[in-house]
Amino acid sequence: MPAVSKGDGMRGLAVFISDIRNCKSKEAEIKRINKELANIRSKFKGDKALDGYSKKKYVCKLLFIFLLGHDIDFGHMEAVNLLSSNKYTEKQIGYLFISVLVNSNSDLIRLINNGIKNDLASRNPTYMNLALHCIANVGSREMAEAFAADIPRILVAGDTMDSVKQSAALCLLRLNRTSPDLVPMGDWTARVVHLLNDQHLGVVTAATSLITTLAQKSPDDFKTSVALAVARLSRIVTSASIDLQDYTYYFVAAPWLSVKLLRLLQCYPPPEDAALRGRLTECLETVLNKAQEPPKSKKVQHSNAKNAVLFEAIALIIHHDSEPTLLVRACNQLGQFLQHRETNLRYLALESMCTLASSEFSHEAVKTHIETVINALKTERDVSVRQRAVDLLYAMCDRSNAKQIVAEMLSYLETADYSIREEIVLKVAILAEKYAVDYTWYVDTILNLIRIAGDHVSEEVWYRVIQIVINRDDVQGYAAKTVFEALQAPACHENLVKVGGYILGEFGNLIAGDSRSSPLVQFNLLHSKFHLCSVPSRALLLSAYIKFINLFPEVKVTIQEVLRSDSQIRNADVELQQRAVEYLRLSCIASTDILATVLEEMPPFPERESSILAKLKRKKGPSKLPDIDDARRNVNGSTEHSSNTESTSKSSPSLVADLLPTNRPRPASSAPIMFSAGTMVSSQPSTDLLGLSPAPSVGVSPAPSAGASLLVDVFSDSPTPASVDVSEDNFSRFVCKNNGVLYENQLLQIGLKSEYRQNLGRIYVFYGNKTSTQFLSFSSSVASEETLKTHLNIHAKPVDPIVDGGAQVQQILNIECVSDFTAAPVLNIQFRYGGTLQNVAVKLPVMLNKFFQPTEMRSQDFFQRWKQLGAPQQEVQKIFKAQHPMDTEVTKAKIIGFGAALLDGVDPNPANFVGAGVIHTKVTQVGCLLRVEPNTQAQMYRLTLRTSRDTVSQRLCDLLSQQF
């Protein structure tokens, strides 16, 4: 920057500022400002032309007055004239005034643009920087239209100085954020990536910020940046602090650039190239190792910089979710932070571990910190940290620790902040239902939940417990006894009265044999709460009373007297009056048989979507996309899903149904409820272990909803349009995992979350709108080849035809495997974006191994079965080169993820892996044995599969060999 001469001190400005500071009152300040404004106005309007110094001085005074909060309505033209000055200080003040005071819709924009254009063309780096800073500060659409094409050329030009490159990159970043449609993608995109190799780290830092934003918009155009980013990151993390002296911050080499490079890498999946992947792994291991080193400085800036890089590295490890060793190490490092004295570190550690808990590789490692997290829940002073502790307990919960976590949450609920009580209630209700092996425990938990936090228990929660009790014969008697005992407390929450009224009205006869809970005692207990309840609860109790008349004729007269009282048949509330009159009349004129028919026990509830999860998601606030990598396959092959990331498609009136049919008494006058398809438990015997109805062999189109004219038969015979290529990019990644991002472009992200059991499966497909514009006429369908239709039945539920900007919707696909198959179905998506019809076709990862159920076997049984499957057509063997680093833990995880049970101690060679399982189809079951023999020296594998069907052996061998 040019040196400022003594004459640029602007003594007049200094005197004016001093006068303002010396003013004793607001009135004196305004008087002095008005005097100065009059003087400046007269100078600007005078006949005598002002020199550059005077213009600069008066423009500075106007700028100072504006910053004091006063309106400025003149001087803009003089500031624009300063842009044509050849003196740096005058030009600088002109740009400063324009950046602060000129409105983007000003008539002067054209003149300003001309001045900026001249400075950009001058090749003077100082002037070019001023012009670029002004463009970025104003960031108007007019400036974007004028300079969006010129700035990329300046950025990639070979003769541009480093300081100008920095400014150009940041200026282009600003324009891309304000007017992304005006920033052209052209030949410069490939050249800007190479700025990551620039010798000047300031240029690399600015370029990384730009590339990260552009890569999120057009990932395919910037794929080459991954290799360069890894190379640059490797040089930074392995360098000593003295090597990057100008960019070392408190003994941490280039922390800002490291963080930006790690964020850039999070825009892409793990590198496919083994060497590049290995180098990135080394970088991440180095960052984790440095975190263990003793600090080189006691100053907080050193630890802040060091931890910023560490947390971003952990975020990348979580994003890739492919290196078990790194994931476990990251978990252990975060575990150390859980007890750190710095509150912010504890908060960040809890937040990151919530994501780690959803990984199949690190879930067990996260569970080892459960006592520390529980202690944080009890002792933390900061409510936000306690809330993150609740989130982490929720995320790490599975069948092994569900009772402990639910108990701790209930204990904390008694003293929890009111702002998070409702969220904790929803989480406890979800966990209690999801992991309830003994439903008596579930009933106890929900009733305890109502007792502790009744005001925060939403209707969805008590609706749900009623549905489960009605659908399970084995828990009905216990539920009736438990609510009867709970209602005997002097003070009961109204929600408990509702649950008690409903359950006793249906199943009070199951406990009526005990004199302590005789029919009259039950009625008197319920009626003692009647006067304390609201109108909807009283309406429910009246329905319970009429049910009592059917169950217990001996209390008929007592109940009729209550219904006949003036407080009921002349009640001011129409609903209560009508119920009392109708129930009284029904009890008087109906015969015993008619009464028994009308008031028969409620049948099991049909399968419906859960509104508890939807309510929890609304409570947590909108998110751009769901966290779909939340399923964990344990060692025995069963799949457990972390509920904190489940979401349901948007509720609409057509999806919301009353808890009770309209022809039966209701627990409340208008109480909508939606029930979960995944957790519905039927009291009727069924082989449907997932709660899925078998899909019909002949596809039937769902009725199109309003606005969904493009929704087609999911089993349509129409082929995929020839103009749309079927994407298979991520297909192979789903062979050993059930969850992840299946497809992504600049508009749409498609994520999957799947669960399979025996020959049935369910896929939750998440469609995420990455833009700020609505998707209209959104529809999706599943197409299958003719040969596949006889082997695989797929039924797709309708999807919302409108997807708001930044939002996501969910579609459920129910799958039935009829017999073994080879091909895969295709998911076709169609929608309108900005008036243009978009078509996307993606290969759906439904493979034969998804219907693999693990089988535990002893060594003797394994080899006996191995010999029985010795026919040549039953064995398939393949020897192939390793495509990825040969890691024992990764191999084990892939075999378990493939669906087989990993059998330890069976093979005489401990380096080999053997597995066993059964492929379940509707028509038959196929036993499968596999053996993987790694040769680390030759970097080769030999895979042997033996099954009772040759087609199954070949297909499983083809699928599994691609994973190594």
Side-chain angles (χ1 to χ4, degrees):
M1 184 181 293
V4 180
S5 63
K6 291 182 180 180
D8 291 329
M10 292 187 287
R11 183 173 177 275
L13 176 62
V15 171
F16 174 62
I17 294 174
S18 178
D19 290 345
I20 295 296
R21 287 177 176 172
N22 292 331
C23 289
K24 303 297 183 183
S25 65
K26 186 68 176 175
E27 291 75 12
E29 178 185 312
I30 293 174
K31 183 177 180 181
R32 179 67 182 90
I33 287 173
N34 288 336
K35 178 181 177 182
E36 192 62 37
L37 287 174
N39 177 53
I40 297 172
R41 198 185 299 269
S42 64
K43 295 292 184 182
F44 284 167
K45 290 186 176 180
D47 297 334
K48 183 180 179 182
L50 294 175
D51 58 10
Y53 170 80
S54 299
K55 283 184 183 179
K56 177 185 70 172
K57 179 177 66 175
Y58 293 134
V59 167
C60 269
K61 288 182 178 181
L62 291 175
L63 186 57
F64 179 71
I65 293 170
F66 175 78
L67 295 178
L68 289 176
H70 300 272
D71 292 332
I72 300 297
D73 57 0
F74 69 98
H76 299 74
M77 193 63 203
E78 283 70 18
V80 172
N81 291 336
L82 287 176
L83 300 186
S84 59
S85 173
N86 291 324
K87 287 188 177 182
Y88 170 78
T89 55
E90 295 175 8
K91 191 182 291 285
Q92 181 193 35
I93 296 301
Y95 276 120
L96 182 60
F97 186 92
I98 289 167
S99 299
V100 175
L101 272 87
V102 173
N103 189 290
S104 59
N105 298 322
S106 172
D107 296 334
L108 298 174
I109 285 293
R110 186 168 296 179
L111 291 174
I112 295 170
N113 287 352
N114 286 335
I116 292 174
K117 193 167 291 186
N118 292 335
D119 285 336
L120 291 178
S122 68
R123 311 307 295 174
N124 182 320
T126 305
Y127 295 170
M128 293 176 74
N129 274 330
L130 286 174
L132 290 168
H133 293 170
C134 181
I135 296 171
N137 287 332
V138 176
S140 66
R141 190 168 182 84
E142 291 76 10
M143 284 193 172
E145 291 174 347
F147 302 110
D150 298 332
I151 296 173
R153 286 197 294 269
I154 296 172
L155 177 61
V156 298
D159 58 345
T160 304
M161 293 186 66
D162 292 336
S163 62
V164 179
K165 285 183 181 178
Q166 286 178 261
S167 300
L170 296 176
C171 181
L172 196 59
L173 175 61
R174 163 70 169 165
L175 294 183
N176 184 71
R177 288 173 176 170
T178 57
S179 306
D181 56 314
L182 296 180
V183 178
M185 292 291 175
D187 297 337
W188 64 273
T189 55
R191 298 176 64 185
V192 77
V193 170
H194 290 285
L195 290 178
L196 295 176
N197 274 336
D198 200 280
Q199 294 182 350
H200 194 281
L201 287 190
V203 174
V204 180
T205 305
T208 305
S209 297
L210 174 64
I211 294 169
T212 301
T213 301
L214 295 176
Q216 292 170 350
K217 177 182 176 183
S218 305
D220 293 340
D221 293 337
F222 297 92
K223 275 185 178 178
T224 54
S225 65
V226 173
L228 298 178
V230 172
R232 174 62 79 174
L233 182 65
S234 177
R235 294 200 293 273
I236 293 173
V237 299
T238 57
S239 66
S241 58
I242 55 174
D243 298 336
L244 303 172
Q245 196 165 5
D246 291 342
Y247 285 87
T248 297
Y249 180 78
Y250 287 88
F251 303 102
V252 181
W256 285 276
L257 177 55
S258 300
V259 167
K260 289 177 184 293
L261 290 170
L262 290 166
R263 285 184 181 171
L264 171 59
L265 292 173
Q266 290 175 50
C267 297
Y268 294 95
E272 296 180 359
D273 180 69
L276 184 62
R277 192 167 182 168
R279 191 173 185 183
L280 176 58
T281 301
E282 289 177 10
C283 292
L284 297 172
E285 287 176 343
T286 304
V287 173
L288 293 174
N289 291 336
K290 286 184 176 181
Q292 299 292 335
E293 296 174 358
K296 297 179 181 179
S297 172
K298 293 183 179 180
K299 293 189 175 181
V300 68
Q301 292 91 337
H302 170 73
S303 60
N304 284 347
K306 188 176 177 181
N307 292 331
V309 178
L310 174 63
F311 275 102
E312 209 60 52
I314 291 174
L316 179 60
I317 293 171
I318 295 172
H319 171 75
H320 284 173
D321 193 22
S322 59
E323 297 290 341
T325 306
L326 287 178
L327 285 161
V328 173
R329 284 196 62 188
C331 180
N332 294 335
Q333 181 62 53
L334 292 171
Q336 296 176 19
F337 287 142
L338 292 180
Q339 295 178 319
H340 199 279
R341 59 185 177 85
E342 176 60 42
T343 305
N344 290 334
L345 279 180
R346 296 197 301 272
Y347 179 93
L348 292 172
L350 289 167
E351 189 174 47
S352 298
M353 288 185 80
C354 283
T355 314
L356 272 175
S358 66
S359 170
E360 58 187 307
F361 301 117
S362 56
H363 179 72
E364 292 299 322
V366 172
K367 284 167 58 179
T368 61
H369 301 283
I370 184 170
E371 296 299 333
T372 307
V373 180
I374 290 172
N375 185 59
L377 189 64
K378 296 176 179 177
T379 60
E380 277 290 348
R381 294 182 179 180
D382 192 315
V383 63
S384 61
V385 180
R386 294 200 298 272
Q387 186 168 0
R388 293 288 80 78
V390 171
D391 291 343
L392 179 53
L393 286 174
Y394 180 72
M396 70 167 64
C397 188
D398 59 21
R399 295 195 186 280
S400 66
N401 57 19
K403 289 191 176 181
Q404 180 187 6
I405 288 177
V406 168
E408 292 294 344
M409 283 189 172
L410 284 172
S411 175
Y412 171 64
L413 191 56
E414 297 189 28
T415 57
D417 294 74
Y418 288 97
S419 60
I420 62 173
R421 282 196 178 189
E422 184 178 0
E423 183 181 324
I424 297 174
V425 167
L426 292 173
K427 288 181 174 178
V428 169
I430 292 169
L431 294 179
E433 178 187 340
K434 176 177 284 293
Y435 300 116
V437 178
D438 178 6
Y439 276 88
T440 59
W441 171 75
Y442 170 75
V443 171
D444 289 339
T445 300
I446 299 299
L447 293 182
N448 200 15
L449 190 66
I450 295 173
R451 178 186 64 80
I452 295 171
D455 289 338
H456 302 277
V457 175
S458 61
E459 290 185 333
E460 288 87 350
V461 175
W462 74 265
Y463 286 167
R464 189 65 172 153
V465 71
I466 285 175
Q467 186 209 15
I468 288 177
V469 170
I470 287 179
N471 286 6
R472 292 195 67 90
D473 294 337
D474 56 340
V475 80
Q476 291 166 358
Y478 180 82
K481 178 183 176 183
T482 306
V483 295
F484 175 77
E485 293 173 351
L487 285 172
Q488 292 177 359
C492 294
H493 193 274
E494 189 171 334
N495 282 332
L496 183 59
V497 177
K498 292 177 183 177
V499 175
Y502 198 105
I503 291 178
L504 291 178
E506 292 291 331
F507 310 113
N509 60 308
L510 299 179
I511 61 172
D514 190 332
S515 59
R516 292 170 297 180
S517 56
S518 64
L520 187 60
V521 172
Q522 291 184 41
F523 170 73
N524 289 334
L525 181 61
L526 283 178
H527 196 56
S528 67
K529 314 292 182 184
F530 188 89
H531 66 286
L532 301 173
C533 296
S534 62
V535 169
S537 299
R538 293 184 185 185
L540 185 147
L541 289 177
L542 289 177
S543 298
Y545 296 169
I546 190 65
K547 287 268 189 173
F548 271 24
I549 291 178
N550 177 47
L551 292 175
F552 315 117
E554 61 266 33
V555 297
K556 178 177 179 179
V557 176
T558 305
I559 294 176
Q560 284 179 335
E561 289 176 359
V562 171
L563 296 175
R564 195 177 284 116
S565 64
D566 287 347
S567 60
Q568 303 303 332
I569 62 174
R570 295 184 179 180
N571 196 292
D573 185 86
V574 175
E575 174 71 19
L576 293 181
Q577 184 186 107
Q578 182 176 356
R579 289 198 184 207
V581 171
E582 291 180 355
Y583 291 165
L584 178 60
R585 192 63 179 158
L586 178 64
S587 67
C588 293
I589 66 171
S591 66
T592 305
D593 293 339
I594 293 175
L595 204 60
T597 303
V598 173
L599 302 174
E600 64 180 347
E601 184 179 308
M602 288 293 295
F605 283 95
E607 177 182 316
R608 289 175 185 161
E609 300 293 341
S610 172
S611 61
I612 302 181
L613 291 170
K615 187 175 182 68
L616 177 61
K617 185 172 180 61
R618 292 194 300 271
K619 183 72 178 171
K620 293 293 286 181
S623 59
K624 184 176 180 181
L625 287 172
D627 182 4
I628 53 182
D629 288 330
D630 65 342
R632 305 180 295 272
R633 186 178 284 273
N634 59 27
V635 175
N636 64 15
S638 64
T639 303
E640 295 179 352
H641 290 271
S642 173
S643 303
N644 62 321
T645 51
E646 287 189 42
S647 63
T648 56
S649 51
K650 296 179 181 179
S651 301
S652 63
S654 61
L655 290 176
V656 180
D658 283 339
L659 176 66
L660 299 176
T662 53
N663 62 340
R664 293 187 173 93
R666 305 182 180 201
S669 55
S670 58
I673 182 68
M674 291 157 57
F675 292 111
S676 170
T679 51
M680 156 74 184
V681 182
S682 174
S683 61
Q684 300 173 350
S686 172
T687 58
D688 183 6
L689 299 180
L690 279 179
L692 304 173
S693 300
S697 58
V698 180
V700 180
S701 300
S705 56
S709 58
L710 294 174
L711 194 63
V712 297
D713 185 353
V714 295
F715 294 96
S716 173
D717 294 329
S718 59
T720 303
S723 59
V724 181
D725 295 328
V726 178
S727 173
E728 301 182 20
D729 294 345
N730 294 328
F731 181 81
S732 62
R733 293 180 60 194
F734 283 83
V735 172
C736 293
K737 61 187 293 187
N738 287 336
N739 313 284
V741 177
L742 177 63
Y743 175 84
E744 186 170 13
N745 61 15
Q746 63 268 28
L747 303 178
L748 177 71
Q749 185 184 62
I750 303 175
L752 298 185
K753 184 174 67 178
S754 314
E755 56 186 1
Y756 294 88
R757 193 165 300 170
Q758 295 189 0
N759 69 313
L760 300 175
R762 176 182 285 122
I763 297 180
Y764 298 87
V765 187
F766 296 92
Y767 303 101
N769 183 348
K770 297 173 62 177
T771 72
S772 58
T773 305
Q774 277 188 337
F775 292 166
L776 302 176
S777 302
F778 190 92
S779 66
S780 67
S781 60
V782 180
S784 303
E785 298 176 1
E786 286 297 331
T787 54
L788 183 60
K789 289 182 180 180
T790 58
H791 301 288
L792 199 67
N793 290 333
I794 303 179
H795 176 70
K797 293 189 177 181
V799 66
D800 198 316
I802 297 177
V803 186
D804 293 330
Q808 56 86 19
V809 295
Q810 173 190 286
Q811 183 179 32
I812 298 177
L813 308 179
N814 290 332
I815 303 167
E816 181 187 35
C817 179
V818 180
S819 60
D820 62 279
F821 58 95
T822 302
V826 175
L827 181 65
N828 295 312
I829 301 97
Q830 196 173 53
F831 59 93
R832 290 193 176 275
Y833 170 73
T836 305
L837 186 63
Q838 306 286 335
N839 290 288
V840 176
V842 187
K843 198 172 183 180
L844 199 61
V846 180
M847 307 92 162
L848 186 59
N849 69 294
K850 298 301 181 184
F851 305 96
F852 214 155
Q853 293 294 303
T855 303
E856 295 291 340
M857 301 178 73
R858 294 177 299 174
S859 177
Q860 180 181 355
D861 298 333
F862 178 86
F863 285 109
Q864 182 180 356
R865 181 61 177 158
W866 184 268
K867 291 177 182 178
Q868 292 173 354
L869 297 173
Q873 68 272 19
Q874 293 177 325
E875 178 181 285
V876 174
Q877 189 173 89
K878 188 173 184 179
I879 300 173
F880 53 91
K881 190 81 173 175
Q883 302 174 13
H884 306 288
M886 301 181 71
D887 185 280
T888 301
E889 293 302 319
V890 174
T891 304
K892 288 181 179 179
K894 287 183 176 178
I895 292 174
I896 294 172
F898 191 68
L902 188 64
L903 308 179
D904 293 326
V906 172
D907 197 295
N909 185 350
N912 294 343
F913 307 92
V914 294
V918 177
I919 296 289
H920 286 262
T921 69
K922 185 178 181 180
V923 298
T924 186
Q925 296 182 4
V926 183
C928 308
L929 303 177
L930 65 88
R931 187 183 190 190
V932 180
E933 301 169 85
N935 185 336
T936 54
Q937 293 181 344
Q939 292 290 297
M940 303 280 286
Y941 285 99
R942 179 165 66 184
L943 172 63
T944 308
L945 267 149
R946 291 188 180 185
T947 76
S948 54
R949 288 177 67 92
D950 54 345
T951 54
V952 173
S953 300
Q954 186 62 55
R955 181 55 180 161
L956 293 181
C957 184
D958 293 341
L959 288 171
L960 187 56
S961 61
Q962 298 171 4
Q963 302 305 305
F964 300 106

